[in-house]
Amino acid sequence: MSALSTPRPDGGKSPESFWLQAFREVLESTDVDDDTDFFDAGGHSLLIPKLLLCYESLSGWRPPIRLVFEFSSPRELEAESVVLQGRR
C-alpha cells in the first residue's frame, strides 16, 4: 500500500491523495482540488502544523514544515513527498 493514497475495499487506490484530504479537512472546504494553493485558499502559517498533523495521521509520515512554504498545492506536495521518501 502506498503512503500517498487511500486504500479502497476493492484493493485499488482512491484518486484523492492524502494531501488533498488534509487540505479539505484543514481548510474546511470540499471545493479544494489538486491544484489549490494552500495560502490562496485561506490557509496561513498558523494552520500549517494542523495540516502536517492531519497529513501524518493519514499517511504515517510527517513532512518538514518548510515543504508547505515551498510547494503549496496538494499535487506539488504529493510529488515532493514521493521524492523525499525515496519512492518513485
Side-chain angles (χ1 to χ4, degrees), residues 7-86:
R8 291 191 327 215
D10 65 2
K13 296 176 185 174
S14 168
E16 290 185 0
S17 73
F18 289 145
W19 279 113
L20 182 56
Q21 293 175 53
F23 268 51
R24 287 180 174 166
E25 183 174 324
V26 171
L27 295 172
E28 299 177 351
S29 174
T30 57
D31 293 333
V32 172
D33 64 28
D34 284 319
D35 296 311
T36 298
D37 182 280
F38 181 73
F39 300 103
D40 289 345
H44 50 79
S45 60
L46 297 177
L47 282 179
I48 292 175
K50 184 176 179 181
L51 178 67
L52 296 178
L53 184 60
C54 182
Y55 177 81
E56 181 180 19
S57 72
L58 294 166
S59 72
W61 179 69
R62 178 90 183 228
I65 197 165
R66 68 168 175 76
L67 207 63
V68 181
F69 289 106
E70 295 175 19
F71 306 94
S72 57
S73 74
R75 185 182 315 277
E76 294 171 329
L77 285 162
E78 184 171 342
E80 188 62 17
S81 295
V82 169
V83 170
L84 288 178
Q85 294 181 65

